[in-house]
Amino acid sequence: MSEDDNPTTAEGPTRVGTPSTAGDPTTDDNHPAMRLVHLLRAVTMELHLRGAEFAERNGLHPTDLRALVRLLDADRAGAVVTPGRLGEALKLNSAGTTALLDRLERLGLVRRTRDERDRRRVLLAVEQEAVDLGRSFFGPLIGGLVGAAGEFTAAELAVVQRYLTAALHVAASAGPPDGGAP
C-alpha cells in the first residue's frame, strides 16, 4: 500500500468516507471504498464459479453446496443444526429443506440423527465423505488463499478480517432495495 492510498493528517490517518471526502463515494468507481467493493464482487464471482463447478462435477445443486458449507461452518463453530435452522439459513420452505436433505443423505454426504436429549429433535451432520470430496476439490484453492495471506502482517490481516466481517454483516442484513418482499 502506498502513502497515496492511506492519506494522513496531523491528527492521524484519514478514514475513507469521512465528511472530508467530497461527493458520494458510491458513484465514484475510483473511490478507495468502491474499489474494495468491486474487488470483493470479483472474488465473490470467482468463488461462486468454483462452487458451481464443484456442484456440477459432483451432481449437486448449488443449494446443496450452500447447505454443506453451512453445516461445515456450524460444525467448526461447535453449533448444532436442525433441518428447520438449515432451511431458515438457506431461505427454503419445509418441503424444499426435506428434499435437499433427502438428496444429500442419499449421496452419503449428510446424516440425520435424533437428538439424544430430545428424541423429537433431528440434528444434521456432514459425513466424512463430503469433507473429503470438498478437500479434494477446494484444497488447492484454500492453500493458495492461505499462502496469499502469508504475504501480509498480522496487523494487516486483522484489518482485512475487520472489513470482511463488516461486509458480511452488511450483506447478511441487506433487504430488497424497495424494502418489500423479493
Side-chain angles (χ1 to χ4, degrees), residues 26-170:
T26 64
T27 62
D28 179 2
D29 285 342
N30 291 317
H31 189 280
M34 284 303 294
R35 289 196 311 257
L36 271 177
V37 168
H38 292 302
L39 190 55
L40 184 57
R41 182 180 62 199
V43 170
T44 301
M45 291 300 296
E46 286 301 319
L47 293 174
H48 177 76
L49 290 171
R50 298 296 79 73
E53 183 181 347
F54 172 81
E56 184 179 333
R57 281 188 186 186
N58 292 288
L60 301 172
H61 186 277
T63 305
D64 299 345
L65 177 57
R66 287 193 297 273
L68 290 171
V69 169
R70 288 280 183 171
L71 292 171
L72 287 167
D73 288 348
D75 184 57
R76 198 171 17 264
V80 296
V81 181
T82 64
R85 297 259 171 150
L86 180 65
E88 182 181 310
L90 299 175
K91 299 187 182 346
L92 295 175
N93 62 25
S94 179
T97 302
T98 298
L100 165 86
L101 291 172
D102 287 347
R103 213 170 32 248
L104 292 176
E105 202 167 38
R106 234 183 350 268
L107 292 168
L109 302 176
V110 169
R111 79 176 167 280
R112 293 180 252 205
T113 58
R114 293 277 174 199
D115 185 339
E116 291 182 14
R117 292 178 304 209
D118 181 352
R119 301 288 297 154
R120 297 168 297 172
R121 193 165 93 145
V122 174
L123 304 178
L124 303 174
V126 174
E127 294 284 11
Q128 188 61 44
E129 169 76 18
V131 173
D132 295 343
L133 194 63
R135 257 195 209 122
S136 71
F137 184 88
F138 291 108
L141 171 63
I142 292 168
L145 292 170
V146 169
E151 300 294 318
F152 297 88
T153 67
E156 289 171 325
L157 289 174
V159 171
V160 172
Q161 184 172 0
R162 257 184 48 225
Y163 176 76
L164 291 175
T165 300
L168 177 60
H169 177 73
V170 169

